[in-house]
Amino acid sequence: MKQAVSGINPNDSEEEQKRILSEERDSKGEPFRPVFLYPKRKLRMQLNIERETGQMKVQSLPRGDIFQRMMVRRPRKEEMSTEQDWPSVWPVARSFRSSVVPLPIRMGARRHPERRAPFKTEGNLELVKIPNFLHLTPAAIERHCNAIKKFCTKWPEKLDDNARHKFFPLTVSYCDYVHQGNSLRDMRSRVIIVQLKLSALYLDDHAVDKLIRLVGDRYNPENDMLTIVTDRCFTRKQNYDYAMYLLIALYNESFKVEDWEVKKPEDIRLISRTIDFKGSKMENDLQNLLINMKEEKGNETITMQKMDSKLEEFSKSWENYRNSKETFETVRNYAESIKKLLGISQSLDQSAP
């Protein structure tokens, strides 16, 4: 058993048995023998020895072949003409090649840039790292546009801004950005801008007033445009869904009438966003003033219908003056309406001393 396991022969001497035990053996008791593997090709030293001793025949190359090996072609950019068809030279996006681009481009950082210019085009790895747009030259873009032009339709001439807002009231805007960086993502590209005219929602007076109060400064009364900007989510799709959710929530919330929203008619003027001429103190004072002027002059031709028509014309300029930003035009129109209401034909500057 001992001989089968360790490969020791009991008839051997004690020293031989110790030597066998110290050696590494396999399962069959055979010792491990070193194996030297030589490469199939000859080493340089062997070739030199054979060449010096004459054991190897040196093959002599013809003189013409040597000249062909030594001949190096000039860079392609030096052979280009000024009328070269560049889209054929650089048709698709690829890495920068200094031998093809005939531009004196330099890129890289050096110490003391005021003394030494950046690295040249040849062998410049910085130009190879970054993406280039040499395949998107104006000539290439024009050629691509002409190729796909036959598949496009003309923009409808009658579809101006008014028609566009009528048939396509909702406008969604976003931007794509291309920049140099370690990531293709740009956080600005996730921003979604939704624009909608408030008149396209078909709201009643209460809903319009409540919606404008909810959106705050996102509503522009000059062009009746509601603008919602969403940028809190990580992706553009999430921001778009969030903008649609906000628009639907605002629309549904504007129609709700809470208990605290039900006000008496006399309290509505206190919470209204705009000042109305009807029911105001100015209306009562002007009516009393016109009645007194009629009694003093004794002019019976001025009927109540004419007085109401004059007050209606004056109310438009008065509401415009009170509810809009004060400008030279609004002040002048307000002054002219007062003169017309009171029958003053000349201003104070033109009156006689």
Side-chain angles (χ1 to χ4, degrees):
M1 180 63 70
K2 184 177 180 182
Q3 182 180 3
V5 174
S6 60
I8 299 175
N9 189 0
N11 299 327
D12 295 338
S13 61
E14 185 177 355
E15 295 180 357
E16 184 68 18
Q17 292 180 8
K18 290 181 179 180
R19 186 185 63 79
I20 293 174
L21 290 174
S22 62
E23 292 180 353
E24 295 182 358
R25 296 175 176 270
D26 56 5
S27 60
K28 296 181 180 180
E30 296 292 334
F32 289 99
R33 301 179 181 86
V35 178
F36 297 95
L37 300 178
Y38 293 95
K40 293 183 179 180
R41 62 178 179 83
K42 294 183 179 181
L43 300 178
R44 181 178 298 178
M45 184 176 295
Q46 293 176 336
L47 294 175
N48 292 336
I49 293 173
E50 292 180 359
R51 189 181 297 110
E52 294 294 336
T53 57
Q55 298 178 6
M56 184 182 66
K57 295 182 179 180
V58 180
Q59 184 180 3
S60 59
L61 298 176
R63 191 175 183 84
D65 193 5
I66 294 176
F67 283 132
Q68 289 180 2
R69 292 190 177 188
M70 293 176 61
M71 185 176 61
V72 179
R73 182 184 174 184
R74 297 170 57 192
R76 185 179 179 182
K77 64 181 181 181
E78 297 181 4
E79 300 176 358
M80 287 184 181
S81 63
T82 56
E83 299 179 356
Q84 175 73 38
D85 185 16
W86 181 252
S88 300
V89 177
W90 206 282
V92 295
R94 60 177 179 177
S95 300
F96 185 84
R97 295 180 63 181
S98 60
S99 61
V100 179
V101 181
L103 299 175
I105 303 175
R106 290 177 175 266
M107 188 173 181
R110 283 187 173 185
R111 291 184 177 180
H112 309 293
E114 66 278 359
R115 301 179 185 176
R116 297 190 301 174
F119 298 100
K120 294 183 179 180
T121 309
E122 290 77 8
N124 196 333
L125 294 179
E126 298 298 329
L127 291 172
V128 180
K129 294 177 183 178
I130 63 173
N132 59 76
F133 297 93
L134 296 175
H135 62 290
L136 296 178
T137 56
I141 294 175
E142 184 180 1
R143 187 175 299 180
H144 292 171
C145 293
N146 293 333
I148 64 176
K149 191 175 182 180
K150 57 184 178 181
F151 302 105
C152 302
T153 57
K154 293 184 179 180
W155 182 264
E157 297 179 356
K158 296 183 179 180
L159 190 60
D160 53 0
D161 291 340
N162 296 330
R164 181 172 61 86
H165 288 302
K166 179 180 179 181
F167 297 103
F168 306 99
L170 186 64
T171 304
V172 180
S173 305
Y174 57 86
C175 296
D176 292 325
Y177 296 89
V178 179
H179 65 99
Q180 177 189 357
N182 54 3
S183 176
L184 295 177
R185 293 183 177 271
D186 194 301
M187 297 301 292
R188 295 173 295 176
S189 63
R190 61 191 173 91
V191 180
I192 293 292
I193 302 175
V194 178
Q195 291 183 329
L196 175 68
K197 278 189 173 294
L198 204 62
S199 58
L201 296 178
Y202 301 103
L203 304 174
D204 55 9
D205 296 339
H206 168 267
V208 170
D209 182 75
K210 188 173 182 179
L211 183 61
I212 294 175
R213 292 175 183 272
L214 289 174
V215 298
D217 57 354
R218 298 175 182 85
Y219 173 72
N220 187 3
E222 296 181 359
N223 54 6
D224 192 35
M225 188 67 69
L226 173 63
T227 305
I228 298 176
V229 181
T230 55
D231 58 352
R232 62 175 56 190
C233 300
F234 289 99
T235 62
R236 180 185 298 170
K237 179 66 168 57
Q238 293 173 343
N239 284 317
Y240 173 78
D241 295 340
Y242 181 60
M244 294 297 105
Y245 162 75
L246 289 178
L247 191 60
I248 295 173
L250 288 171
Y251 180 80
N252 294 329
E253 192 67 25
S254 62
F255 282 102
K256 294 181 181 179
V257 180
E258 304 293 342
D259 296 337
W260 53 269
E261 293 184 74
V262 180
K263 299 292 183 180
K264 297 180 180 180
E266 56 271 14
D267 296 336
I268 293 178
R269 294 182 57 84
L270 300 177
I271 63 174
S272 179
R273 293 184 304 103
T274 59
I275 301 175
D276 296 332
F277 180 77
K278 187 176 181 180
S280 62
K281 185 179 179 181
M282 176 65 73
E283 183 183 15
N284 297 330
D285 294 343
L286 287 178
Q287 287 179 354
N288 297 331
L289 178 62
L290 292 176
I291 292 173
N292 294 334
M293 291 175 60
K294 176 184 176 182
E295 293 177 354
E296 290 179 0
K297 293 182 179 180
N299 190 357
E300 298 180 355
T301 58
I302 302 177
T303 60
M304 293 299 297
Q305 186 176 2
K306 291 184 178 181
M307 291 174 56
D308 293 340
S309 62
K310 289 184 178 181
L311 287 176
E312 185 177 358
E313 294 178 2
F314 173 77
S315 64
K316 295 179 181 178
S317 61
W318 185 83
E319 290 178 354
N320 186 26
Y321 174 73
R322 294 296 302 272
N323 297 322
S324 61
K325 186 178 180 181
E326 183 176 346
T327 59
F328 178 76
E329 292 293 333
T330 56
V331 174
R332 186 179 63 180
N333 294 335
Y334 180 60
E336 293 294 334
S337 62
I338 292 178
K339 294 177 184 179
K340 186 177 180 181
L341 178 65
L342 300 179
I344 302 175
S345 58
Q346 296 180 353
S347 61
L348 296 177
D349 296 337
Q350 297 177 352
S351 60

